[in-house]
Amino acid sequence: MTIGDLIRLLSDGEYHSGEQLGEKLGVSRTAVWKQLKKLESKGLQLEAVKGLGYRLTAPLDLLSGPAIIERLPAEPRHHLTRLFVEDELVSTNSFLRERFQQGAGHAEVCLAESQTAGRGRRGRDWLSPWGRGLVFSLGWRFDEGASALEGLSLAVGVVLAEVLEQLSAPVALKWPNDVLLCREQGPKLAGILLEVSGDVAGPCEVVIGIGLNVELPDSLRESVDQPIAALRDVVPSVSRNALAASLIEALLGMLPRFETHGFEPWRDAWNRRNAYAGQEIDVHQGTQAYVAVAEGVDDTGNLRVNVDGQARLLAGGEISLRLRS
């Protein structure tokens, strides 16, 4: 028995006695109790009522490989090499990096209910309470080398924004890798992390990681030092499996086109969603900090800013932007 097996039984939000859980899992009630005590550390709230048993305070919409596959149209289903749906991983990105090391990985997708060491941009932790987000990675092999990947993370941002907008979620894009909910101060809804290995001029392998908040417990919102949002704040009934299928379909459609044309076809779409267009921002670049006015991105995904009347281009790397208050 794993804790994932127990969570799946409790995911309906109904009461289950310790005896019933033990029988279904083939273990003793004591073993069940030991696993139940671990649920809070996974971000899951448990309710116990004498005579009724145990239940999660809110039902879970768990990921299902077959449910995702059946939602995919024929073409993306054909191009998808393999889909992995795991209970818990160190990170979905590291899982696919290992797949590439084994000679696989291309057009493979990995999703997990939770990850224990997920990372965002600049090495920050990406928190993922069990069954509440979309922790997603897709692997892709590029023949033209890392030099052809300029702007890829921004193109992924456009694709993700389009998927969310189809659900009527109002979103904006923050350079270079964040998706924000269109509210005052633009709370962060999703982040994108690309990890590249291989040759600058020859074949290279990319793992596209996406962390999307679908639902967030209040305790997690309070523990983060910046405003964050969840998709169900604005789209209460969204299905995680349908969302995963839409994202797979959109990315598998975008990547071959990106290989041929680069970022330019997505430039205008990104600029239309630029969260900070025309606004003053604080730029932190290495040991430097200065105030600039954000403009748009160019054909390679560099951000144009205006500093004291002088134009400047920001490329990727250790750069952090914040809207000036």
Side-chain angles (χ1 to χ4, degrees):
M1 177 191 71
T2 67
I3 195 165
D5 297 327
L6 177 60
I7 292 171
R8 274 187 288 276
L9 287 178
L10 292 169
S11 65
D12 58 7
E14 302 296 328
Y15 286 103
H16 300 265
S17 71
E19 183 178 358
Q20 290 170 336
L21 292 170
E23 288 176 357
K24 290 177 180 177
L25 295 169
V27 298
S28 68
R29 292 178 64 179
T30 301
V32 169
W33 173 240
K34 289 180 179 178
Q35 293 291 350
L36 287 170
K37 290 195 292 184
K38 298 178 182 178
L39 293 184
E40 189 169 344
S41 68
K42 305 294 182 184
L44 300 173
Q45 297 299 313
L46 189 70
E47 183 180 84
V49 176
K50 189 174 182 179
L52 292 176
Y54 309 94
R55 75 177 183 99
L56 295 176
T57 54
L60 290 177
D61 171 26
L62 295 181
L63 296 170
S64 163
I68 294 170
I69 294 294
E70 73 179 14
R71 286 173 165 83
L72 286 175
E75 187 171 351
R77 190 182 304 187
H78 172 74
H79 290 298
L80 177 65
T81 305
R82 192 165 180 182
L83 173 66
F84 297 90
V85 177
E86 306 292 330
D87 282 343
E88 187 171 80
L89 294 172
V90 173
S91 84
T92 54
N93 266 27
S94 63
F95 180 92
L96 283 187
R97 289 203 312 271
E98 291 175 8
R99 292 287 296 167
F100 274 124
Q101 292 168 7
Q102 297 162 9
H106 178 68
E108 294 187 351
V109 170
C110 178
L111 296 122
E113 295 293 359
S114 178
Q115 53 186 11
T116 57
R119 292 184 300 114
R121 185 169 170 267
R122 304 173 72 209
R124 292 171 175 159
D125 291 340
W126 183 269
L127 302 176
S128 52
W130 190 291
R132 304 294 189 184
L134 197 68
V135 182
F136 175 106
S137 295
L138 185 152
W140 198 263
R141 186 174 290 108
F142 286 83
D143 293 330
E144 297 300 319
S147 59
L149 302 181
E150 291 180 315
L152 178 57
S153 66
L154 279 73
V156 172
V158 171
V159 167
L160 177 54
E162 290 172 343
V163 167
L164 296 174
E165 286 164 355
Q166 289 171 4
L167 298 170
S168 299
V171 296
L173 297 172
K174 175 190 171 186
W175 188 89
N177 295 332
D178 290 345
V179 179
L180 310 180
L181 195 62
C182 287
R183 287 181 173 176
E184 188 178 352
Q185 301 301 318
K188 183 172 178 177
L189 182 63
I192 298 161
L193 176 66
L194 267 57
E195 296 185 281
V196 182
S197 59
D199 200 325
V200 172
C204 67
E205 295 153 348
V206 180
V207 177
I208 299 168
I210 294 174
L212 170 63
N213 300 325
V214 177
E215 186 174 352
L216 284 173
D218 291 339
S219 58
L220 184 57
R221 294 177 196 254
E222 294 165 1
S223 70
V224 178
D225 63 355
Q226 62 176 309
I228 55 175
L231 184 56
R232 285 185 179 153
D233 294 348
V234 290
V235 189
S237 60
V238 64
S239 158
R240 293 167 71 223
N241 289 306
L243 184 60
S246 295
L247 190 53
I248 292 169
E249 178 184 358
L251 288 173
L252 290 178
M254 179 273 283
L255 287 165
R257 189 176 172 213
F258 187 94
E259 284 189 275
T260 302
H261 300 288
F263 173 64
E264 192 274 336
W266 289 273
R267 179 200 61 205
D268 292 345
W270 196 96
N271 283 328
R272 285 195 301 271
R273 298 171 173 85
N274 182 0
Y276 294 169
Q279 300 190 64
E280 281 197 334
I281 55 173
D282 290 312
V283 181
H284 296 271
Q285 187 172 8
T287 57
Q288 290 185 308
Y290 54 92
V291 178
V293 175
E295 296 180 356
V297 296
D298 63 16
D299 288 355
T300 58
N302 296 321
L303 180 67
R304 296 187 303 270
V305 298
N306 188 298
V307 183
D308 296 328
Q310 299 293 316
R312 189 178 298 187
L313 282 178
L314 302 182
E318 295 300 307
I319 301 176
S320 175
L321 309 182
R322 287 288 176 96
L323 189 62
R324 193 164 179 79
S325 56

